[in-house]
Amino acid sequence: VRNGAVAFSSAQTGNYEIFVMNADGSVDGQLTRNPASDRDPTWSPDGNTLAFVSNRDENWEIYAIAANGTGLTRLTRNDTLEGSPRYSPDGQRIAFWSFRDGGADIFVMDAYGTGEVNLTNSPGWDFNPTWSPDGASIAFQSERDGNSEVYVVDVSTGEQTRLTDNQ
């Protein structure tokens, strides 16, 4: 919820689109119109932009669009799947997962789609990044040891710490 509005994806149109709804339940409107699918929207901290994943170019990539539905921008360009875009608390960066280096890894890029850095570089699958409130680290789910575990990575050093031990 940002600025009294909720963003969500729904198949109300047979494919998934991004919609915005006022927090009181009244519908604000459909934000995207795509013959493929748009999913997993996330608000920028200032509430002016939404990042989301889409297969509109026949591959799951990350896009950004202004909250009023204008200015669609493709942020990533790869031949593999990408997902779960999440803005940093200051809105300057986006964390996401990508299969571009083999397994699923946690990446960070600036909010305009440049400066991509692989933070985890793990042989397993790392998913679902979540920023710490201060933006210094990212918690994520990993299946690198065969179990679903929670790790945290320091954004500036890349140091990773395992937080759970589900044997």
Side-chain angles (χ1 to χ4, degrees):
V1 177
R2 290 283 191 262
N3 297 333
V6 176
F8 61 97
S9 60
S10 175
Q12 296 176 28
T13 60
N15 60 299
Y16 282 85
E17 300 289 354
I18 306 298
F19 291 83
V20 176
M21 176 181 283
N22 296 321
D24 66 5
S26 61
V27 175
D28 191 13
Q30 184 175 344
L31 201 60
T32 63
R33 286 172 172 62
N34 176 23
S37 284
D38 297 334
R39 297 180 181 219
D40 199 15
T42 186
W43 289 104
S44 62
D46 64 9
N48 292 328
T49 307
L50 287 153
F52 63 96
V53 294
S54 177
N55 66 348
R56 62 183 57 225
D57 293 316
E58 299 180 10
N59 187 35
W60 290 100
E61 299 287 351
I62 298 173
Y63 290 79
I65 191 167
N68 65 6
T70 63
L72 179 69
T73 303
R74 184 174 173 179
L75 299 179
T76 59
R77 296 184 182 279
N78 297 286
D79 294 333
T80 61
L81 298 174
E82 296 175 324
S84 299
R86 300 292 180 259
Y87 280 96
S88 60
D90 65 4
Q92 298 300 307
R93 297 173 290 175
I94 297 174
F96 61 99
W97 59 260
S98 175
F99 278 97
R100 69 180 72 172
D101 289 341
D105 290 309
I106 304 299
F107 284 76
V108 173
M109 65 181 164
D110 70 35
Y112 303 102
T114 60
E116 297 173 351
V117 175
N118 183 336
L119 291 179
T120 59
N121 202 18
S122 163
W125 290 15
D126 299 335
F127 290 100
N128 302 324
T130 302
W131 289 90
S132 62
D134 65 3
S137 60
I138 298 170
F140 61 95
Q141 175 186 349
S142 180
E143 297 178 359
R144 62 181 69 181
D145 66 355
N147 297 315
S148 184
E149 305 289 351
V150 177
Y151 284 75
V152 66
V153 60
D154 182 292
V155 175
S156 62
T157 67
E159 182 180 336
Q160 298 173 49
T161 304
R162 182 174 163 173
L163 301 180
T164 61
D165 188 9
N166 297 315
Q167 297 181 9

